[in-house]
Each structure stands twice: as C-alpha cells, then as structure tokens.
Amino acid sequence: KKYVPIHLEMEKTPEHLSVKSDESLGLSAVLHNSGTLSVSVDEKKPLHFTLNGNIKGNYLNLVLANLFCDIPKLAVFVDNSMLSVYSGVLNGQAVITGLSSDPNIDGSIVFSNLDFILPMFVDNHITAEQMLVTMVQNKIDVSDTLFRIKDGVMQLGVSVILDRLSLDSLDIAV
C-alpha cells in the first residue's frame, strides 16, 4: 500500500478555529464562535463538496452542496477482496437540521455509470446506469435500480428507516 502524508494547519483565534490542509487533500474549514461553519474541498479532488451552515449547541442547520466522488479513485481504501470498483461517480446534496443526536437529513445522491465486482458473491461485473438514493428525515430510499450481471438483469430497491441514526427497519426488494 502507498501512504500519502497529509499536512494540516490549525489556527485558533478569539473569533474562530480554522483548519487547512496542504494541496494533497485540498481541505479548508472555518468554525466561528457564533457557530457559523464553512467547509470545502478543492474541486480538483476525487471527493469534493461544500458544507455551510450553523452549529448552535446540539442544533444543526447545515447545507451539503456540490458533493462529488469519483468512486474508483477512493475505492483503493476498501478491501478489494470484498469490493472492486471499475467506474462510477456520485453526485449529491443534502440539508441537515435538528439535534446532532437525531438529525433530519433531506437530500439525494445519484450514482452514475457504476461498474463493480463483489468477489465474495459474484465473479462478474455488476453495472448500473444510474441509482438514486433519497433521504427524507429518517428514511433512506434506493429507487428501483436495474443492475446487469453478465447476461442477466436484477432490479433492486431498498428502504431504510433510522431511529437516532441507528437502523430501525430495512426493506429490500429484489
């Protein structure tokens, strides 16, 4: 495995705390004493986004925007005996509000041009043109998605209900 050092610079003033990374990560974050938060990762990185909003005590009001991930470039951090990713991108956004212990998350993520293998289960490439994941408060839905495996097709839909960020129910339709 190849390790890449990450350098972080922190600055604490009477007004704010800021964190910046070197170019390898492209991270910049500022938390003001008023609770205003601003986080961004450089758009040139395989995972980038902006996160802006407020944190007051245990209450969150955050907007995650321009979420992008070039999945194969980050898949190197996953054990490839379980998952090998050949192509795919993720785009999304979300609004996160409420108590930090039980936040409401409203948003969506779209996976496009997926191509992967689950070596423990299937030796063939599994592909999907698009998979939509929506989040409304405590419910996460994966819309019915067509996956192609060799000469076959499988449709999969998933619905998850969370209770304080813990699994409450899970429905899978294949």
Side-chain angles (χ1 to χ4, degrees), residues 1 8 38 41 43 69 77 83 90 95 101 104 106-107 116 121 130 135 145 155:
K1 289 188 174 188
L8 296 175
S38 178
V41 176
E43 289 183 359
C69 180
F77 298 108
L83 173 70
L90 172 155
V95 175
S101 60
N104 290 325
D106 297 314
F116 60 96
F121 305 105
Q130 191 173 71
M135 298 151 286
T145 304
Q155 181 172 307

Side-chain angles (χ1 to χ4, degrees), residues 61-101:
N61 186 7
L62 302 170
V63 176
L64 174 66
N66 303 317
L67 175 60
F68 174 87
C69 180
D70 184 342
I71 300 168
K73 289 186 178 173
L74 293 182
V76 297
F77 298 108
V78 177
D79 180 358
N80 63 3
S81 69
M82 297 183 68
L83 173 70
S84 295
V85 180
Y86 296 91
S87 70
V89 296
L90 172 155
N91 288 282
Q93 78 286 327
V95 175
I96 305 158
T97 59
L99 294 173
S100 58
S101 60

